[in-house]
Amino acid sequence: MESSENPDYHGLVDMGSNGIRFSITSLSPLTRRILPTIYTDRAAISLYDAQYPEGSSTRLPIPDPTISAVVQSLLRFKSTCTDYGVPPSQIRLLATEATRTAPNSSAFRNQIHDATGWTVELLPKEEEGRVGAYGVASSYSAVNGLVMDLGGGSTQITWLTTHSGDIQMSPAGSISLPYGAAALTHALSTTPHAAYREEVTAALRAAVASLAIPPSLLQSPKGLSLYLSGGGFRGWGFVLMSSHAISPYPIPIINGLHVTTSAFHNTAAVQAAVNLAMADSTPAIFRVSARRAGQVPAVAFLVSCLAAALPAIHDVYFCQGGVREGVHFASLTPAERALDPFVVATRDHAPASVAGLVELIEAAAPDSPIDEGMLTALAQAMYAHAALPKDIFAGAALRSTTTGLWAGTHGVSHQQRAVLALLLCERHGGVGRISPSEQEFYGRIVRLLPEGWAWWCVYLGRVAGVVASVYPAGVVRERRLAVKAAWGKGKKGEEVLRVDFRVEGAVEAVGGGDEGFRKAVKGVEKAGKRKNWVGDGKGWKVDVMVDGEAFEG
């Protein structure tokens, strides 16, 4: 049986210096913002190492055995694309530094074409940087700062700002420097370190100076943000995860990881963690291969040069966005790029009356720091786990953004994953409805939230539980519930949030005695008890009313 073609599927080969990545991505109009991955694979073929055999200081042509391995991996992917129904016209083969500068680049590319029928597209240095920048832009809802992409053979640097789907970067494009992870490793084995450090630091300073960074970025009170992509930096990020203050770190996804500058620049701590992990009796660091571990000294060298060369950096963000993400994200319209990733991802599970549900939840949340996009994602996702056994629905909701339904959502930060996970867990009853093992995970997720946000997640999740008890299918056929909330003062002058759930119409009896409704309202009341304030211990008392009368649970 032959596969039929899917017009939304696009195949891509990213032939990098350290490895070859294969992917099939769906660009269906409804979900293309999050670049859903249909298939992914990687061939551990280093075209850079093939040109610098161990012990050799002279660059050699890509050898025949390596070319044969590359061709074989490409033919396998070509067959896979046929299996998935990828239209042949929507398959691209892109190559970067190691192929572009290989002594036998032309012959290598001709052999690939003869064997596969595919033409190798060489990305010029500037285009490679632009593609990498778009990959970074795809990795967060908003990006404003310096961007660096550390490949095997080269490093690209530029600045980037995004607003409503429009992407601005340096007029100079992206500056490409010959300091990739593999290139640095090779150079450090043959070049005196002090002289090489001066060279790399000076080149980085010159690159930054030529970028014409906008004053709006340089004059930020906190300093510049730095966004990092590429395999070398991702390996560094996974090492930082392994030694994070929240241990074990609860989100096993590199995209969205945020660290402080001091943690990023602590090269001694990173190298110590890698050395410990390489000991026979110590488990390996998650997602850090022996090859990546071997490149850590070179990345540490680059990081130390960055500390001397870059303007004041305050926050560092890690990105999964690479060639695949950059190529596809660049093809989207600004309106598509501006969509909220979690809103896009949860749409498949949305009930019929999302707008009405959001309106009710928002009515209970004056001055909440949680924006409408996140509340929309909550409303769309809040019924997705309801049919599971009661033993697990709160736990499954808690894990939904890390290893569950929406773990693969591209373009969200770890903080956003934590917020939605906590909201959904609390919609199903919260920490009291999850197993002891999940409770420990819950505590680590809470620690990822900004100050004061944990309380809002608990409270709004509980409000969503009340809404779900009145609209069990998420269908607002008639007005059954009205919500009003306002800030007031308690007996001791403290701030109190007063919320009134008014039951109307066909379910008027619910307010008087429906067990599910009253249990959900009781959950909202408990969110206002100081003993239940999770995380940083900050929160507010909640006075709950039903139909204008004080609730007595």
Side-chain angles (χ1 to χ4, degrees):
M1 180 177 177
E2 293 186 2
S3 302
S4 59
E5 291 186 0
N6 187 322
D8 294 328
Y9 284 4
H10 293 252
L12 187 71
V13 181
D14 170 15
M15 202 154 63
S17 299
N18 267 333
I20 303 175
R21 295 171 180 82
F22 310 92
S23 63
I24 298 173
T25 303
S26 172
L27 295 184
S28 169
L30 289 178
T31 57
R32 61 178 55 163
R33 165 58 184 92
I34 57 174
L35 307 177
T37 302
I38 305 303
Y39 171 86
T40 183
D41 195 12
R42 181 180 185 274
I45 301 172
S46 174
L47 295 175
Y48 189 93
D49 286 354
Q51 297 173 63
Y52 287 99
E54 189 172 353
S56 173
S57 59
T58 304
R59 188 171 195 177
L60 302 176
I62 301 171
D64 288 341
T66 300
I67 293 175
S68 296
V70 170
V71 168
Q72 183 59 43
S73 69
L74 293 173
L75 289 172
R76 180 177 182 274
F77 181 59
K78 187 173 185 179
S79 175
T80 301
C81 286
T82 300
D83 291 344
Y84 275 96
V86 181
S89 62
Q90 294 178 186
I91 302 172
R92 298 179 67 185
L93 171 51
L94 304 179
T96 55
E97 178 83 4
T99 300
R100 187 172 62 235
T101 59
N104 59 337
S105 175
S106 179
F108 174 47
R109 289 180 281 121
N110 287 339
Q111 286 183 255
I112 290 174
H113 183 270
D114 291 344
T116 66
W118 291 342
T119 299
V120 179
E121 300 178 48
L122 287 178
L123 284 179
K125 288 182 180 182
E126 297 75 15
E127 181 64 13
E128 185 177 346
R130 177 182 173 275
V131 167
Y134 270 83
V136 169
S138 77
S139 300
Y140 290 87
S141 296
V143 172
N144 293 285
L146 282 180
V147 171
M148 289 193 69
D149 183 353
L150 177 61
S154 62
T155 293
Q156 281 77 36
I157 183 168
T158 188
W159 60 260
L160 193 68
T161 63
T162 64
H163 179 71
S164 299
D166 287 319
I167 297 174
Q168 301 292 326
M169 58 188 297
S170 171
S174 185
I175 308 299
S176 182
L177 302 171
Y179 305 127
L184 287 166
T185 300
H186 175 75
L188 289 171
S189 68
T190 59
T191 308
H193 286 202
Y196 194 49
R197 183 182 303 278
E198 289 183 10
E199 174 195 325
V200 173
T201 302
L204 287 169
R205 283 196 181 114
V208 170
S210 68
L211 289 174
I213 301 173
S216 59
L217 292 179
L218 290 172
Q219 294 169 5
S220 171
K222 289 185 176 181
L224 274 170
S225 293
L226 178 62
Y227 298 84
L228 303 174
S229 65
F233 281 140
R234 285 195 290 271
W236 193 265
F238 277 114
V239 177
L240 290 174
M241 271 192 204
S242 74
S243 55
H244 200 279
I246 305 173
S247 182
Y249 192 79
I251 299 179
I253 303 165
I254 193 62
N255 193 87
L257 173 67
H258 162 248
V259 298
T260 61
T261 307
S262 58
F264 174 69
H265 285 313
N266 193 346
T267 57
V270 171
Q271 291 191 83
V274 171
N275 292 338
L276 182 63
M278 294 178 73
D280 292 341
S281 59
T282 306
I285 296 173
F286 176 68
R287 296 288 289 134
V288 179
S289 65
R291 175 179 170 76
R292 285 294 179 209
Q295 291 179 344
V296 161
V299 180
F301 175 85
L302 180 62
V303 169
S304 66
C305 293
L306 290 174
L310 297 185
I313 301 295
H314 187 268
D315 294 291
V316 179
Y317 299 89
F318 289 84
C319 310
Q320 180 61 46
V323 170
R324 178 189 85 91
E325 293 80 6
V327 165
H328 294 316
F329 201 63
S331 72
L332 306 188
T333 66
E336 290 169 334
R337 293 195 290 258
L339 295 173
D340 184 296
F342 266 146
V343 172
V344 172
T346 56
R347 191 177 288 149
D348 281 351
H349 290 80
S353 304
V354 171
L357 301 175
V358 171
E359 182 180 350
L360 288 167
I361 297 170
E362 281 188 321
D367 304 321
S368 165
I370 299 175
D371 63 27
E372 185 175 353
M374 185 62 72
L375 293 182
T376 300
L378 167 63
Q380 292 183 163
M382 61 191 266
Y383 296 92
H385 302 94
L388 295 176
K390 290 184 179 180
D391 316 53
I392 62 171
F393 56 22
L398 179 65
R399 298 272 187 174
S400 63
T401 63
T402 52
T403 54
L405 285 171
W406 301 293
T409 304
H410 180 68
V412 293
S413 68
H414 287 193
Q415 183 184 106
Q416 289 171 309
R417 290 183 187 275
V419 169
L420 185 56
L422 194 55
L423 285 167
L424 291 171
C425 179
E426 293 297 335
R427 170 266 186 269
H428 290 291
V431 71
R433 301 298 300 273
I434 56 179
S435 68
S437 63
E438 301 291 0
Q439 289 174 11
E440 191 270 340
F441 179 78
Y442 179 103
R444 287 184 281 126
I445 280 289
V446 164
R447 291 178 64 187
L448 292 174
L449 300 177
E451 184 177 349
W453 281 50
W455 183 87
W456 279 106
C457 289
V458 172
Y459 168 73
L460 287 173
R462 301 288 177 85
V463 169
V466 174
V467 173
S469 74
V470 177
Y471 298 104
V475 179
V476 182
R477 288 185 290 105
E478 69 278 321
R479 186 179 177 92
R480 301 177 189 171
L481 181 69
V483 182
K484 293 184 178 180
W487 291 100
K489 295 292 184 181
K491 294 179 180 179
K492 298 180 180 180
E494 74 279 18
E495 281 193 302
V496 175
L497 182 57
R498 296 192 172 96
V499 57
D500 186 6
F501 297 103
R502 292 184 174 270
V503 182
E504 303 175 353
V507 290
E508 187 172 353
V510 169
D514 180 84
E515 180 183 359
F517 173 79
R518 295 187 66 80
K519 188 175 182 179
V521 172
K522 183 68 175 176
V524 175
E525 185 179 58
K526 286 182 176 180
K529 305 292 185 184
R530 185 178 293 273
K531 65 180 182 180
N532 297 325
W533 296 352
V534 299
D536 54 20
K538 297 184 182 296
W540 288 270
K541 185 178 185 301
V542 180
D543 284 345
V544 179
M545 294 175 284
V546 173
D547 297 329
E549 301 291 334
F551 175 72
E552 296 181 2

